[in-house]
Amino acid sequence: MSQVEKQLADTKAQIESEIPDDISVTDVKYEGPELVIYTRHPKEFAQDGDLVRRLASKLRKRITVRPHPDVLSKPKEARAKIEDIIPDDAGVADLDFHEDTGEVVIEAEKPGMVIGRRGSTLREITQEVGWTPEVVRTPPIESSTVSNVRNFLKQEREERRDILERVGRTIHREEMADEQWVRITTLGCCREVGRASFILNTAETRILIDCGDKPGAEGEVPYLQVPEALGAGAQNLDAVVLTHAHLDHSALIPLLFKYGYDGPIYCTEPTRDLMGLLTLDYLDVASKEGRTPPYESAQVREAIKHTIPLEYGDVTDIAPDVKLTFHNAGHILGSAVSHFHIGDGLYNVCFSGDIHYDDTRLFNGAVNDFPRVETLVMESTYGGRNDYQTDQEDSERKLIEVINETYENDGKVLIPAFAVGRSQEIMMVLEEAMRTDKIPEMPVHLDGMIWEATAIHTTYPEYLRDELRDRIFHEDENPFLADQFNHIDGGEDERQEVADGGPCIVLSTSGMMTGGPIMSWLRHLGTEENSTLTFVGYQAQGTLGRRIQNGWDEIPVQDPRDRSRKSTISLRMGVEVVDGFSGHADRQGLENFVKTMNPRPEKVLCVHGDERSVQDFSSALYHDYNMRTFAPKNLETFRFK
Amino acid sequence: MSQVEKQLADTKAQIESEIPDDISVTDVKYEGPELVIYTRHPKEFAQDGDLVRRLASKLRKRITVRPHPDVLSKPKEARAKIEDIIPDDAGVADLDFHEDTGEVVIEAEKPGMVIGRRGSTLREITQEVGWTPEVVRTPPIESSTVSNVRNFLKQEREERRDILERVGRTIHREEMADEQWVRITTLGCCREVGRASFILNTAETRILIDCGDKPGAEGEVPYLQVPEALGAGAQNLDAVVLTHAHLDHSALIPLLFKYGYDGPIYCTEPTRDLMGLLTLDYLDVASKEGRTPPYESAQVREAIKHTIPLEYGDVTDIAPDVKLTFHNAGHILGSAVSHFHIGDGLYNVCFSGDIHYDDTRLFNGAVNDFPRVETLVMESTYGGRNDYQTDQEDSERKLIEVINETYENDGKVLIPAFAVGRSQEIMMVLEEAMRTDKIPEMPVHLDGMIWEATAIHTTYPEYLRDELRDRIFHEDENPFLADQFNHIDGGEDERQEVADGGPCIVLSTSGMMTGGPIMSWLRHLGTEENSTLTFVGYQAQGTLGRRIQNGWDEIPVQDPRDRSRKSTISLRMGVEVVDGFSGHADRQGLENFVKTMNPRPEKVLCVHGDERSVQDFSSALYHDYNMRTFAPKNLETFRFK
Ligand SMILES: [Zn+2]
Ligand SMILES: [Zn+2]
Ligand SMILES: [Zn+2]
Ligand SMILES: [Zn+2]
Ligand SMILES: [Zn+2]
């Protein structure tokens, strides 16, 4: 009997001693971080609403109860009963019965109504039919990403169960090391923005946090080949944790599977879907630009298959000596501050990932309240001494002004924007401004991946700001479904039509005008004197966006239907810059995050910022708040215990 | 054709174009760091005294020329001719012909006379007989260590040639990395004394420097299991460099071979022999104390077989991107400051090892003059703010006083001493004091490994201080051969005899009275009021030596012939402490080493000292000399480029 088998047998005995005698336990298994209890008495298990909670706290594990296959009612009968129990308003779209595990996946427009108050409806379902219900939301806006991911996972169900069982056994293996220590190695994003990647190493466990690319510097990838990372073989990595889906954190996650990694990726559910969307687009852009991508779409699928989604606040065992908890980071959908509790109280490390400290229209501000934290690894994008941003209120006022003026001139407002995050923020500003008559009603055209990214946002309203979430729950108030928003899905013909029409707003990718449909819009609108090109995001050195901000007015363009036809247009439209919509905390926000952090960290590693930003921020924290701060270089290792 | 084959073929062609047409080159091979040229014309090669030197500087390699087997004269004939050429005074003891390589090993009492002025005699030998001569010294005092090592290496000759060829190919492999960086990871001896061990890691190469134990804390071994060290597999280590033979640097070197390491150990020749002596004793002590030693004597033999000895000043390729040069460290016989030149000018790191900055009787002071050094990894044993030692002159005066007083009282002087280093230093003090009548002539008894360690010292006079070396070259002046010195090789009987006899001096191991023959001497002399126990070295916390210094006078002893018989003696003999004979630089010496270093290093890592010593020394260097200094912890990684 292996050590894990013995552990499971002990656990089974312990469960049996804790539950009433009339409830049988047929099997106990690990599935990823969860302990799954199989029983011939699922109904009795469900009767006591508190039983699972008590077991979980006793065993200090996350617990799922599943019915033994023998006691399942027939799917046809179960379907009828389930449809009977769930209120019609829940909008059940699909019931999917998995006989191997006794799970029934219920897709509904309003998952909350399927769950019921504190899970009462779910328990009722189990009591009636024996099956274990699992609930997913029908995206209010159809999302090909979400449905592709769901279909793919359904199809790979069996392999995924194998993966989860294997991961579960690894997580719950016996600790081997007779010493304890905690180290962090920086593999990227130190004194630079891009290629975020860290190794968290204990005597027992090796964890990779993020694995991004460096935009505009394709050769500069994380130092994965060093022995602390994959140099010793990908099989030595216990887990990968992804803080959020931006490519500077996620682009090279699929590459790990090409290098032989076969373990779990921990991230939130929206991060998983957005990572799928963005990495596939990353491959697409690379091949369009004639570069050989470092991996293929097969590895993106592997990454999705190996993802174990966690919710904010779930304390999860990811190794014998490491518990991971995600908290809202306020940066983009699903972005997470990642807290690692190591060695049963030995040490606590928190990786901020990218954060926004103040509330925005889309998200609550980043969480900075933890049971314990000794070391904080902190983003410093706007850590420079003068990196203060305009208040979003003032920025919104300026944007409204620009739109009104352009409208009065009978012009159009063209806004280059990133698909994920800032586009949705601007959409919320525009929707409210029209609803409250601060700007006239007019069409808002969404081009590029913006529509799809928006659809993913509406699939996971739990991750949005409270007020916004509540509005999405009521279909008639879902601001993303407002009539003004139009998805440009008719290509050049539709763009031509819009260009020939009246005043409107166009939101289009790419955000820095380095390609994508914005180039086509520039061709259509660039020469219109009464229209306005409006920047709402940071334009990096070397991008067309930055050049236009610097005064360029002869713009090379190409005909999208015949790429060999190149020409130049003279930019006539007005150019406006409205900052203050960043997804990143500014210097003040970064300081506030650290100084109000509870508890106060002993050490802060300032990363994810250029040389000047990390130095400024690090020395400010040291002088003003008397913390031990560091501005590490790539490829350094810090030992904390 | 592999890349190395191609490189060798190119090298052969280049050699052929550089040498006269009438000299043939039959083969070109790597043997460790050396390039070996086989020729049918060894005599012609030897004729031009400058040819090899010119080739070496052209090819930037160390070169050895060997005759093709076909052209070798018969050993019998060659022997006669060689004996004819070498002056009788050289004292040739043995000629050993190796037909496989065309080498003849000449063992002589005076190797200098075999070599001749600038190698003239060696060249004459080759011109006459074709064979390539190699010269070793007959130990002036018979040393079982030296003869065991020599016999073992003779017997393992073939396997050793295979090892050297394999190592040579690894050293000269093509560089693979497209980036360059330099990192150091601390595996031990940070904020502590003991378990010295570092990893020097470039994008191309991984080198382990030292691998010692921590005396008095057997469980605390270097962190070899981390991925940067052996965690990624011992086969990923390119080379091991050993600064000197003390066990806190060498004890676990043989263990590497148990872990699967199969590459070279670079150290000086005396360090190799002393490592053999000390690690075998380490195994012996462990088994006597009932501990299971971490390896067996077979691994000590492996370590010796894999040793590639280097001389001070030899610039040696040990990896495609790393050149190693040893310099005298002044600490013990063969101890080396190790200089690494990385990436053809990219970076230079110097490991001080243990040093003594001022000249002592045995050694010239440590070298601190280098072509380039950016980072210095510096020992700090006596780096504390008050760690100033008595001048050796004053210490010698005090020792002489103690001896004279004891002599006048008709007593004996008992000195516990480490076998390697301090014993020989004291021997030199005593020999001079008697020769110059500062103390009366009396027997000096040497017990434990002191005699054997002394024999090794006399085998390598090149590593001793100039004046001492010159005296050893003249047999009648060799101070180690002075009549007073008596090797206690008759066990308890002889000790009893000495104890019953008149005034004398006894030097015995162990140096901190933690075991060894000193315990027996204590039993014999401990109760004699007119004798003196004289400490000349540091006594660590927890040792009997320290306890006696602290006033203990009831000493537990056991009968050496019947270990079960334990008793207690009341210490009556006088106790004196004479410091100033340390093998380590004191605070002033450490400061002088760094401040007069040429060039001045940019960064200094202060290691090999307790918490207070490294902190004091590090902050002093920072404040007084404005250097970037660090007091690293174990398991940290610094990146320098
Ligand atoms: Zn981000
Ligand atoms: Zn980022
Ligand atoms: Zn970002
Ligand atoms: Zn030493
Ligand atoms: Zn040492």
Side-chain angles (χ1 to χ4, degrees), chain A residues 614-629:
Chain A
V614 293
Q615 301 274 26
D616 279 5
F617 189 46
S618 156
S619 73
L621 290 179
Y622 172 72
H623 284 110
D624 299 348
Y625 307 113
N626 195 25
M627 290 165 171
R628 292 201 60 190
T629 62

Side-chain angles (χ1 to χ4, degrees), chain B residues 112-123:
Chain B
M113 300 188 70
V114 181
I115 294 165
R117 210 177 138 73
R118 312 189 87 202
S120 60
T121 310
L122 291 184
R123 274 198 304 282

